[in-house]
Amino acid sequence: MNRPVFFYMITDTLAKLSTATLLTVGQLLTPLAPAENILSSHEMSLEKRYYPVQKENILLNMAYLRGKEGPLHMDGRVSKKEDINWDEIKKPFKSEFRLEPGQVFAYHDDILPQFEGKNIKTQSSHFMANEGYVSAGYLVGDGVCHSASLIYWAALDAGLEALAPTDHDFMAIPEIESKYGVSIYANPESKGSNTKQNLYITNNKEHPVEFKFDYNGDKLKISIVEVN
């Protein structure tokens, strides 16, 4: 049976409307990912440290940060020396942690009085030999200051409130300007005496911020994004 041309035009139009309706419903049912605004991103090569132990200590510290008692809480990688598997620790990884508005990240748990009582994220590690940190003969935990300085640099560029009471002027840190150098030290046996060798970052934004870590086997990159 021959149908008039307008019949096919109407049928085609209805089909298009049905498709558009289905797409619209599908979009409504699909949750939208939170919008992310990249505030800063910086990286450093772990192959360009002064000694191989600095790379090892940096990666071990990242594993503690990702451990059960660390603020990243990613994979329970390390919370004590007995958890250490160097083959696993040296593998590339991605991880992140979030600071809510007003929340503070402290690099270790010996904190200044002005931060007492605040919502703090920190780690259980104190960069000591009994936690698995190593030395080239000078300082156990050598290299941790490098990762802290990278985080400090990214935080300042992101416009976050960052406080590093003690600088690292006694030695240059490869690929990081001296103004971003941070001195980190924590001895749990002398609680209260290491508060100035710490790093404090406060989220002064209206929205949460996320610290995203990406290690590709050479470079460690940190990006800070604001989540709307």
Side-chain angles (χ1 to χ4, degrees), residues 127-145:
F127 332 116
M128 310 292 284
N130 62 4
E131 297 170 329
Y133 289 90
V134 292
S135 168
Y138 170 63
L139 177 67
V140 174
D142 191 8
V144 170
C145 297

Side-chain angles (χ1 to χ4, degrees), residues 136-206:
Y138 170 63
L139 177 67
V140 174
D142 191 8
V144 170
C145 297
H146 296 212
S147 48
S149 298
L150 182 66
I151 294 172
Y152 182 50
W153 180 15
L156 286 176
D157 270 10
L160 299 178
E161 183 181 320
L163 174 64
T166 306
D167 59 38
H168 204 273
D169 284 352
F170 56 89
M171 182 174 286
I173 298 176
E175 301 181 291
I176 296 180
E177 291 184 55
S178 60
K179 64 182 178 180
Y180 300 119
V182 179
S183 179
I184 298 292
Y185 183 75
N187 185 346
E189 300 301 320
S190 57
K191 195 79 171 176
S193 63
N194 315 130
T195 59
K196 291 187 177 180
Q197 286 186 277
N198 204 343
L199 171 64
Y200 308 91
I201 299 171
T202 303
N203 179 10
N204 54 356
K205 306 292 184 182
E206 293 183 357

Side-chain angles (χ1 to χ4, degrees), residues 71-156:
L72 277 63
H73 296 299
M74 290 298 293
D75 53 16
R77 185 66 59 94
V78 173
S79 60
K80 57 186 182 301
K81 186 177 181 178
E82 290 72 21
D83 297 334
I84 294 173
N85 179 329
W86 283 108
D87 289 337
E88 290 296 316
I89 287 171
K90 293 178 180 179
K91 287 181 179 179
F93 67 84
K94 292 184 179 181
S95 56
E96 64 186 50
F97 73 88
R98 174 180 289 212
L99 286 184
E100 299 297 331
Q103 194 169 25
V104 179
F105 169 67
Y107 212 84
H108 60 72
D109 60 6
D110 197 0
I111 61 174
L112 286 167
Q114 68 199 71
F115 294 102
E116 294 284 354
K118 294 194 175 182
N119 187 359
I120 302 282
K121 272 193 175 182
T122 189
Q123 59 179 312
S124 62
S125 176
H126 301 97
F127 332 116
M128 310 292 284
N130 62 4
E131 297 170 329
Y133 289 90
V134 292
S135 168
Y138 170 63
L139 177 67
V140 174
D142 191 8
V144 170
C145 297
H146 296 212
S147 48
S149 298
L150 182 66
I151 294 172
Y152 182 50
W153 180 15
L156 286 176

Side-chain angles (χ1 to χ4, degrees), residues 33-81:
E36 292 187 348
N37 174 30
I38 299 176
L39 302 177
S40 68
S41 184
H42 293 297
E43 64 184 21
M44 66 181 183
S45 171
L46 300 193
E47 303 303 321
K48 294 182 179 179
R49 302 306 95 194
Y50 292 117
Y51 317 108
V53 298
Q54 291 180 324
K55 172 185 175 180
E56 293 175 5
N57 285 328
I58 290 168
L59 291 175
L60 179 58
N61 186 218
M62 291 293 106
Y64 269 104
L65 282 168
R66 287 165 22 236
K68 296 175 184 176
E69 298 181 39
L72 277 63
H73 296 299
M74 290 298 293
D75 53 16
R77 185 66 59 94
V78 173
S79 60
K80 57 186 182 301
K81 186 177 181 178

